[in-house]
Amino acid sequence: MEPRQELPVQHFDHCPWLFGNEATGEQRLAQAERQRSVGGDSEVGERCYVAGSAAVFPDRLRLGDDSYIAAHAYVTGELTTGTDCTLNPFTVVRGTVMLGSGVRIGAHTSLLGFNHSTAPDRPVFRQPHTSRGIVVGDDVWIGSHVVVVDGVTIGDHCVIGAGAVVTKDLPEWTVAAGNPARPLRDRRDTANASPARAQGGDALARFAETARGQAADIVARCWDGERYADRPGAAPTVRAHCDAVEIADLLLATPPGQLDRGEHARRLSALQDPGTGLVPEFGAPLGATPSVPHDDGFPGEGPALYHVLSVGYALDLLGASFPHPVRGAREMTAEQLVARLERLPWRDGAWGAGAWIDSWATAAHWNLRRPDAEATRPGSLEALFGWLLTRADPRTGMWGSPSPVAGWLQVVNGHYRLTRGSFAQFGLEVPHPRRVVDAVLEHARDLRHFGAGRENACNVLDVAHPLWLCTRQLGGDTGGDGGYRSAEIRAWAERQLAAALPRWQDGRGFGFGPGTSGPGPEPGLQGTEMWLAIVWLLADLLGRSDALGYRPRGVHRPEPVHDGPPRT
């Protein structure tokens, strides 16, 4: 076999993506010197390439990691890029230009972040320059021979067709072309896209293969040597450990590699307070919970509520269980439970009310699996389901009402949490399923929560699960068109799936998303765990979940854990 020929520098200038794998040591030293020689106030990130034939004369340059400036590009002024940005051959970037991450700029394209004034009192060549700047968001593809003029903002996820002249702002997810450029469609509208672009089984299989191949590293990056944090640099949390267990189980069918199965179970079991049966957050003293228990023995808010779900299911996946009963569920009488349900903040905090029921019902579930004593006081579980069935609004299928400020957000998200822990977990039918579908689809059209770039894992999950649950209850054919409002459900699922898969960040997983709830947009364990479950639900609504090769078994499992009504 003949030795591979050394590629000349000119080849890398035109194909800089080859440099990282094929450059010689001498060529790497020369590239490092090339980057140091770039003038102005310049900082070039890791694994970047700046072509020797490119005319790069910036006043200020910030080139993000894994980015390149290819052959014969012309760069002046102030250029700032995120990571993974490419300026292909013969591109022109001048004036003040800011690029997000994952931006692709085609050959012979010009981004002109400056202009001349045009007053009639002097020749054009004597006119002063003006500059409002150009801003390009994340995940944007600008085709070849495009011109973007000063003052334009291009939103995240846009695609600009070859030869376009962009003179006005483009909102997120816009596909645009023409002179002047005009919006053609929303990039997420897969119904009007070519079949090759649709999120079919092949795309799901490729996604799952990628996620599976990176799962171990994503979990490992969140291990600080002793405990798990949601993401590097964050404080360790109980939930992060549970999310790591869920991700590893879902994608690798094994516990996270940092500890053996027995040690994972031992550490999580040791977190439970034997007096209350609750799990406090790290740093809270044993025997205390982050929120003061009520006189009926069960807390009203705080991490301990969710830990009933996350720690309980993580232990279950590890083949273990809580060592102690959750006493607030075991000892609460039917009368106390009904009084508590009446006091929950249904008017202005339906989400929190639903979360409380989710936690209490899940605690009852774990108690039911114990062989040593009763799960709850006689009649308590029956009282729970009786109260819920008689209080559901027959017009909406919901508990609570929408508000002018938040719309359906609190009510729909509360419905998901409530029904997850009660009806879905215990294998019972939710009341008024058609009205639930109506309300949830109305909520899903609210641009305050589902506008471009505004979706987060919580809000998408809290629509996807009720639609999935009601579709099956109403006898809708999975992925078919015969169920109640099935065409609208499928269209929504297609749009969300098309938007969700590109959010995966290699080696980091999914970010939770924007908003005041949750850990934010940075990739981490919570976002990854939740979006993996969401992708499955969306794919299953479309009849394609088999392509993923995984099925949630923890907190977001689709199957009930009890067959038929509970008996206490």
Side-chain angles (χ1 to χ4, degrees):
M1 182 176 178
E2 296 184 4
R4 186 176 62 186
Q5 272 194 321
E6 179 183 317
L7 291 174
V9 170
Q10 184 180 15
H11 192 98
F12 292 129
D13 274 14
H14 286 269
C15 304
W17 55 88
L18 299 176
F19 183 83
N21 292 327
E22 303 191 26
T24 64
E26 183 178 353
Q27 289 169 330
R28 295 179 193 278
L29 289 173
Q31 174 59 202
E33 179 57 34
R34 166 64 173 135
Q35 294 179 16
R36 284 193 293 270
S37 71
V38 173
D41 175 12
S42 300
E43 293 181 9
V44 178
E46 300 292 327
R47 299 173 300 281
C48 289
Y49 186 87
V50 180
S53 59
V56 183
F57 309 124
D59 297 321
R60 185 176 187 275
L61 174 66
R62 297 292 184 268
L63 193 64
D65 295 347
D66 302 294
S67 299
Y68 62 74
I69 300 174
H72 305 293
Y74 180 26
V75 178
T76 67
E78 298 187 8
L79 171 62
T80 302
T81 83
T83 59
D84 296 290
C85 289
T86 62
L87 279 64
N88 280 295
F90 298 98
T91 57
V92 174
V93 179
R94 304 191 65 195
T96 302
V97 177
M98 296 183 62
L99 307 180
S101 294
V103 176
R104 297 292 183 267
I105 301 176
H108 298 278
T109 282
S110 297
L111 276 62
L112 306 176
F114 74 103
N115 210 337
H116 292 276
S117 60
T118 59
D121 61 343
R122 70 192 77 178
V124 169
F125 76 95
R126 294 189 183 277
Q127 297 284 345
H129 285 173
T130 61
S131 179
R132 292 183 292 161
I134 293 170
V135 177
V136 178
D138 297 334
D139 179 36
V140 173
W141 175 20
I142 301 176
S144 297
H145 294 279
V146 171
V147 176
V148 182
V149 303
D150 188 36
V152 165
T153 295
I154 297 174
D156 296 345
H157 315 297
C158 287
V159 174
I160 315 300
V165 178
V166 185
T167 61
K168 295 181 179 180
D169 293 353
L170 294 173
E172 296 173 333
W173 296 103
T174 299
V175 177
N179 180 8
R182 65 189 187 281
L184 301 179
R185 64 178 176 86
D186 189 302
R187 181 178 159 194
R188 296 166 296 181
D189 185 5
T190 56
N192 295 321
S194 66
R197 293 176 62 89
Q199 298 294 337
D202 290 345
L204 289 168
R206 288 193 299 271
F207 161 76
E209 182 180 4
T210 297
R212 204 169 282 115
Q214 298 177 13
D217 289 340
I218 288 169
V219 170
R221 73 188 280 269
C222 299
W223 170 255
D224 68 3
E226 181 62 28
R227 294 186 293 191
Y228 293 95
D230 182 69
R231 57 197 179 280
T237 62
V238 173
R239 177 167 183 167
H241 192 159
C242 301
D243 288 334
V245 170
E246 293 240 14
I247 292 166
D249 179 84
L250 191 69
L251 296 176
L252 304 174
T254 184
Q258 290 67 45
L259 304 168
D260 63 33
R261 182 183 298 273
E263 181 61 13
H264 279 294
R266 187 197 68 78
R267 290 194 181 194
L268 290 172
S269 296
L271 298 174
Q272 190 186 28
D273 173 32
T276 64
L278 298 171
V279 177
E281 187 55 271
F282 292 138
L286 195 65
T289 61
S291 57
V292 178
H294 288 239
D295 56 7
D296 55 26
F298 208 75
E301 57 185 11
L305 280 179
Y306 196 79
H307 293 167
V308 173
L309 282 63
S310 59
V311 178
Y313 272 103
L315 286 169
D316 189 55
L317 294 173
L318 294 166
S321 59
F322 278 128
H324 310 287
V326 183
R327 300 192 183 278
R330 169 172 286 190
E331 298 175 1
M332 191 179 296
T333 66
E335 291 77 10
Q336 288 175 316
L337 175 60
V338 169
R340 188 64 176 275
L341 295 172
E342 295 284 356
R343 293 198 305 269
L344 290 174
W346 297 107
R347 180 180 296 277
D348 54 5
W351 191 351
W356 188 90
I357 290 174
D358 190 3
S359 181
W360 192 93
T362 302
H365 153 62
W366 299 127
N367 289 347
L368 273 171
R369 294 177 59 170
R370 297 182 59 81
D372 57 345
E374 62 183 0
T376 65
R377 292 287 186 92
S380 291
L381 270 170
E382 288 86 349
L384 171 70
F385 285 98
W387 191 94
L388 293 174
L389 286 168
T390 56
R391 296 306 195 280
D393 187 338
R395 300 167 300 176
T396 66
M398 299 282 149
W399 294 268
S401 303
S403 72
V405 175
W408 285 97
L409 181 67
Q410 283 274 339
V411 182
V412 169
N413 288 8
H415 182 278
Y416 160 68
R417 288 296 305 273
L418 184 158
T419 56
R420 192 221 69 86
S422 56
F423 293 94
Q425 191 166 226
F426 284 93
L428 301 173
E429 293 189 346
V430 300
H432 317 297
R434 285 182 172 80
R435 302 293 77 78
V436 171
V437 170
D438 294 340
V440 168
L441 287 176
E442 182 177 344
H443 169 56
R445 292 193 293 270
D446 191 334
L447 296 181
R448 291 173 294 180
H449 315 300
F450 294 92
R454 296 185 180 182
E455 303 98 334
N456 62 42
C458 185
N459 292 348
V460 177
L461 173 65
D462 295 3
V463 168
H465 187 272
L467 292 178
W468 185 91
L469 194 63
C470 291
T471 296
R472 272 123 201 93
Q473 185 172 320
L474 291 168
D477 184 22
T478 302
D481 296 318
Y484 181 70
R485 299 187 68 173
S486 61
E488 294 166 83
I489 293 172
R490 285 176 56 82
W492 181 84
E494 288 277 15
R495 288 193 300 272
Q496 291 299 326
L497 193 59
L501 297 189
R503 292 189 180 112
W504 178 270
Q505 297 189 29
D506 284 337
R508 304 172 74 199
F510 283 115
F512 176 87
T516 56
S517 63
E522 287 299 312
L525 296 178
Q526 182 178 338
T528 300
E529 186 274 322
M530 292 184 72
W531 279 108
L532 286 171
I534 292 165
V535 166
W536 187 91
L537 285 166
L538 295 171
D540 205 58
L541 281 168
L542 298 167
R544 303 177 196 157
S545 60
D546 287 350
L548 291 167
Y550 69 75
R551 188 180 184 93
R553 300 198 311 134
V555 172
H556 300 115
R557 59 180 292 153
E559 292 86 11
V561 289
H562 293 279
D563 295 325
R567 291 289 183 265
T568 57

